Amino acid sequence: MSESKGQPSPPASLRDFQDWMLGALVRPEGASGPELDVRVHPPARVRLGTYQRSYIARLGKCLAGQFPALCHALGPELFDDFAREYLRAHPSTSHSLYALGRRFPAWLEAQRPDRDAAAAQREAWIDFMVDLADYEWRLFELFDGPGPEREREREPTADCPDAELALQPHLVLAEHRFPVAWYYHEVRAGRRPSVPRREPSASVLLRRDYATSTFPVTALHLRFLTCVRERGSVNAGLVGLAEVLGRPLAEIEAAWAAQREGVRRPWIEAGFFTRARPRTRR
Amino acid sequence: MQDAPSLGHHLGLGVGLRNVHFDHILREWPAVDWFEAISENFMDSGGRPGYVLAQIAERYPVVLHGVSMSIGSCDPLDRDYLRRLRALAEGVGARWVSDHVCWTGVGGVNSHDLLPLPLTEEVLAYVAERVRVVQDILGRPLVLENPSTYLRLRASTLREPEFLAALVAETGCRLLLDVNNVFVSCFNAGEDPRSYLDAFPFEAVVQLHLAGHQRGPEHIVDTHDQPVSEGVWELFRLAWQRTGGASTLLEWDGEVPAFERVHAELLRAREFMAGELDHGRLDAALRRGPSAAAEGLSTPVDFLVPSVMGRSELAAEAL
Ligand SMILES: [Fe+2]
């Protein structure tokens, strides 16, 4: 590996020790007694326990900070159990703790006991947990990832022509099987929501001035915004939507024109769009 | 690297930058001498943490303190990480960049804890070589901190102060002396912290750390969630005088109180800058029996993730 080229090679005894100690943290039940005596002064077992407890508690707390609504939904004890299992399956491999939850939603989905059942037969509350985790992770990524704040001068005004309106590149378009954004913000407001009924939700997640907002939209609007993203502008997105729906373009354009004040303007004002860079060729 | 210019290490009294204090700092611009930021919390940030640090760096001296360099690990040094660290340091005009004499993981896994190294000549030579690689990439001397430890390894043949002095002599690196960690590690190892400090290479120290700890049933845990203890203040008195007033920073990570409370605790340092070490007070602190309190969480790092929830809203259904 080029990364290790020109780097000093470690003493063998150090590698043995580190493999052993990390193993004792990640898989505490495997840390054997005799080995302990060889490596550390007594009463080392107690003190190794300090590292072991702190390891799992610290990372579990971090995960709970990344998934506060899921933690509320599961209750702290069950959440901790999941966190423990997850960390065993996916110990951190990043220099940053902020990456810890990246694989958590997919891991929850992979762990579900009913994963082999047909979609309709699966437990609704597990679907909810998976969707809520997905929503929380997307929000976390949006919060600390690259954002639109340095491109304020490209924010369009309502009079910007459709051909020049492109989707703001950091916008997240999300679909879930439950109203997860509603649930999340109920938790935020300090209320104690119960698990909602299954109800498909489409939403736009947006960051502005380093704060995130979730805009509930209709499924059709979400499809449209997806077309705008794929095709590069609102104009081209209308063409795309007409194709996807198998409807005449004129009909789609008329529907969009009718939403000029009710949808188009608020979307622009909310920050859904950016002014497309002028095309230099063709 | 050995004749690096002075790191300008008299910054005064600083506070560890924590997510929960961002709003307060941006609103009040408190009269703090300087801030220390956890490198890993900002080096990849495209969001508010990075923005806040940039604002702070325009008004205060900033120092970067890392927790994932893993200078003592058997894994190769992560050059990409080091390049990002350098870019962040240059971006915020960091006065210096520090990390810990420890390892945090191996085989690609990061425990996010500061784990103890066997202190031997062999390990010293290995770590020294890695410090040189790091200093080359960062283009500046590295500053290394003594961690708090809960295990004494049979393999160790050197005392920690000796190990650090040799590391300084071989690499020209500088030191961050955490007096709370000295108290915690010495207490846990049954060693006298005065004897530890007598052997410490103070001439290489650019920074001091202060923090609170918690007494468990059998030993002390470096929890960073309490006021600084009386014994630690006494050690600070010694360290402050022997370093000629090195930049001093208070770390508070668990149950972080309001900024004013943290700042007030930091300013207590002024009471302990002059005068003789009160041996009676230190001895009493060292003798104080174990507490029945449940064992705290060792918190060597600011592990709390930013509150995304606190800055998130649900827009009206009308759209
Ligand atoms: Fe420290």
Side-chain angles (χ1 to χ4, degrees), chain B residues 148-204:
Chain B
S148 53
T149 52
Y150 309 98
L151 282 180
R152 269 214 305 170
L153 305 171
R154 277 188 198 275
S156 293
T157 53
L158 297 167
R159 295 177 68 204
E160 194 169 84
E162 291 168 359
F163 187 92
L164 296 173
L167 202 55
V168 168
E170 286 193 29
T171 65
C173 73
R174 307 303 166 87
L175 298 176
L176 193 177
L177 172 59
D178 187 317
V179 285
N180 179 56
N181 290 351
V182 171
F183 190 93
V184 169
S185 299
C186 286
F187 181 93
N188 288 338
E191 204 184 311
D192 189 325
R194 280 162 290 215
S195 135
Y196 180 102
L197 289 180
D198 283 343
F200 204 85
F202 279 100
E203 62 289 351

Side-chain angles (χ1 to χ4, degrees), chain A residues 3 5 7 18 37 39 41 47 50-51 53-54 58 92 94-95 144-145 185 188 207 212 214-215, chain B residues 44-47 68 72 74 77 79 110 112 150 152 154 188 219 295 298 309-313 315 319:
Chain A
E3 276 296 305
K5 234 172 55 187
Q7 294 207 20
Q18 293 186 347
D37 284 347
R39 295 173 196 278
H41 286 284
R47 312 270 172 86
T50 300
Y51 289 104
R53 277 190 297 279
S54 294
R58 178 183 306 112
S92 170
S94 168
H95 57 261
D144 201 35
H185 289 91
R188 190 211 155 163
R207 189 175 97 193
T212 59
T214 301
F215 295 84
Chain B
D44 310 313
S45 178
S68 287
C74 290
L77 285 160
R79 289 180 193 271
N110 188 352
H112 299 279
Y150 309 98
R152 269 214 305 170
R154 277 188 198 275
N188 288 338
H219 56 289
E295 181 177 305
S298 82
M309 197 175 239
R311 297 186 71 81
S312 167
E313 60 157 34
L319 296 178

Side-chain angles (χ1 to χ4, degrees), chain B residues 4-308:
Chain B
S6 154
L7 295 182
H9 59 269
H10 297 279
L11 298 180
L13 302 179
V15 171
L17 182 60
R18 302 296 179 254
N19 286 309
V20 289
H21 293 149
F22 283 177
D23 288 337
H24 177 88
I25 295 167
L26 296 188
R27 210 172 44 236
E28 308 288 337
W29 301 116
V32 175
D33 293 337
W34 59 287
F35 282 101
E36 180 190 75
I38 303 291
S39 320
E40 291 80 2
N41 291 358
F42 299 94
M43 60 199 294
D44 310 313
S45 178
R48 188 157 192 261
Y51 164 77
V52 171
L53 182 60
Q55 301 287 301
I56 288 173
E58 279 181 19
R59 291 171 173 81
Y60 301 88
V62 165
V63 158
L64 290 181
H65 184 50
V67 291
S68 287
M69 187 180 287
S70 206
I71 195 74
S73 171
C74 290
D75 281 355
L77 285 160
D78 182 344
R79 289 180 193 271
D80 179 56
Y81 166 88
L82 293 168
R83 282 188 287 263
R84 284 159 176 268
L85 182 56
R86 177 177 181 150
L88 178 67
E90 288 172 355
V92 300
R95 301 303 173 95
W96 57 83
V97 175
S98 64
D99 206 294
H100 303 79
V101 178
C102 71
W103 59 289
T104 62
V106 73
V109 170
N110 188 352
S111 74
H112 299 279
D113 200 351
L114 310 173
L115 304 172
L117 281 169
L119 304 179
T120 65
E121 295 289 349
E122 210 183 13
V123 170
L124 173 65
Y126 174 63
V127 173
E129 261 193 88
R130 284 168 60 99
V131 170
R132 282 187 216 103
V133 173
V134 168
Q135 295 185 145
D136 261 5
I137 297 176
L138 294 182
R140 55 167 89 205
L142 178 63
V143 176
L144 286 167
E145 174 179 351
N146 57 302
S148 53
T149 52
Y150 309 98
L151 282 180
R152 269 214 305 170
L153 305 171
R154 277 188 198 275
S156 293
T157 53
L158 297 167
R159 295 177 68 204
E160 194 169 84
E162 291 168 359
F163 187 92
L164 296 173
L167 202 55
V168 168
E170 286 193 29
T171 65
C173 73
R174 307 303 166 87
L175 298 176
L176 193 177
L177 172 59
D178 187 317
V179 285
N180 179 56
N181 290 351
V182 171
F183 190 93
V184 169
S185 299
C186 286
F187 181 93
N188 288 338
E191 204 184 311
D192 189 325
R194 280 162 290 215
S195 135
Y196 180 102
L197 289 180
D198 283 343
F200 204 85
F202 279 100
E203 62 289 351
V205 174
V206 297
Q207 185 185 336
L208 303 174
H209 263 174
L210 289 165
H213 59 240
Q214 202 183 92
R215 276 162 196 269
E218 309 206 0
H219 56 289
I220 297 184
V221 182
D222 175 31
T223 49
H224 293 192
D225 63 351
Q226 313 262 331
V228 178
S229 79
E230 298 309 298
V232 171
W233 280 125
E234 286 303 323
L235 295 183
F236 166 74
R237 193 196 299 277
L238 204 80
W240 173 266
Q241 293 173 10
R242 291 193 189 168
T243 57
S247 311
T248 296
L249 185 119
L250 175 64
E251 301 180 284
W252 203 315
D253 289 299
E255 316 290 329
V256 186
F259 188 85
E260 292 94 334
R261 173 72 190 90
V262 175
H263 195 194
E265 183 68 16
L266 168 71
L267 295 182
R268 281 199 71 200
R270 292 174 179 161
E271 301 167 29
F272 298 92
M273 288 174 177
E276 294 280 302
L277 169 67
D278 185 336
H279 288 278
R281 203 146 163 254
L282 178 57
D283 286 332
L286 287 167
R287 264 198 319 267
R288 208 143 45 95
S291 126
E295 181 177 305
L297 180 62
S298 82
T299 310
V301 299
D302 173 28
F303 63 89
L304 293 173
V305 296
S307 172
V308 176

